[in-house]
Amino acid sequence: MTLPAPTVLVFLDPAFENGRIADSSQPQLMATDLGATRGDGVFESLLAVEGRARKVQAHLNRLEGSARALDLDIPGKDVWRRAIDTAITEFRDTFPAPSPAEDEVVVKLLVTRGVEGASTPTCWVQASPSPAGSRRQRETGIDVVLLDRGFDTEAGDRAPWLLLGAKTLSYAVNMAALRYAHKQGADDAIFTSTDGRVLEGPTSTVLLAHVETVDDGAGSVRTVKRLITPQLDSGILPGTSQDALFAKAKAAGWELGYGPLVPEDLFDADAVWLISSIRLIAPVNHVDGREIGTPAMRKQLTAELNELFAGIE
């Protein structure tokens, strides 16, 4: 029998100012909860490093946006912040990390519509260990395959009920894509649209970089580094990590760009990454079996971006 990973649950409860700590070994939701029966809800995942939750404001903003898309009325940001702090503190006290380098906690914010006919949603914070595979993939990189997402880049505007820009609990397609990628011998996937555009990973945002040497015509040569991500109006989830990294990169002198991108842009890049709040920055070694850039360039640029990302709170 495989034991569940260490977990702390904190429910947002008006009777408890800082959240109600629940026994994670016991059932906590009704079997008729619409989050379980229909995937009717939203969530966010963020990382806490040495007790400090990263990008909390950005994740709470996106949680609110997702909730609005589903007509869910959720508690305010301060209520969530207190519950997040409670969950992190309880987890670190109960399950201390073996070393500072391993002191990472995955924090999930979850909202369901509750049971049929409920007047308020069910909201809770879950704290659990950071997957060991995430740290490995940051260091060694990943291989990905391109998968057709099944809609074009205008579907979000044409059919807002598809909830393409919301982070919902309905993640069956995303997980199926990852399983399919694993069966093909890959670590992850990048979705493409039916009109041939690069979208996102099942749980991540796509980034690519170009490095150019530019002669200004006066005998001076400079290196230009450009960081690009797919355009945000193509039916993808806005990436909190991508947005924070772009701000740091701009301050460091990188040029920034937003698609549209096509698969050939990935193959022409000097480096490609999948970036997310939990795995952080994972360099892509191969796309559909084709190497991206060179190992030396991937390593150099990944180190530069990791240094910038380390300063993000």
Side-chain angles (χ1 to χ4, degrees), residues 64-181:
E64 282 190 347
S66 297
R68 281 195 302 272
L70 272 70
D71 295 320
L72 287 168
D73 185 16
I74 65 173
K77 291 184 176 68
D78 287 343
V79 179
W80 283 102
R81 286 180 180 275
R82 291 195 295 270
I84 290 168
D85 289 342
T86 298
I88 294 171
T89 299
E90 180 71 12
F91 184 89
R92 296 179 77 229
D93 288 347
T94 307
F95 311 105
S99 68
E102 298 174 83
D103 191 358
E104 294 184 356
V105 181
V106 174
V107 181
K108 290 187 177 182
L109 319 180
L110 300 111
V111 180
T112 79
R113 201 171 298 276
V115 297
E116 191 83 42
S119 59
T120 58
T122 301
C123 307
W124 73 99
V125 176
Q126 173 182 309
S128 56
S130 176
S134 294
R135 291 191 289 270
R136 176 183 56 78
Q137 290 184 352
R138 296 172 204 164
E139 299 168 359
T140 63
I142 57 177
D143 293 337
V144 308
V145 291
L146 299 176
L147 298 181
D148 187 344
R149 185 64 175 87
F151 57 77
D152 61 63
T153 52
E154 296 181 356
D157 291 333
R158 189 175 63 250
W161 53 87
L162 294 178
L163 303 173
L164 297 182
K167 196 174 179 70
T168 73
L169 293 175
S170 304
Y171 250 48
V173 170
N174 304 62
M175 297 300 100
L178 285 175
R179 289 193 298 272
Y180 182 86

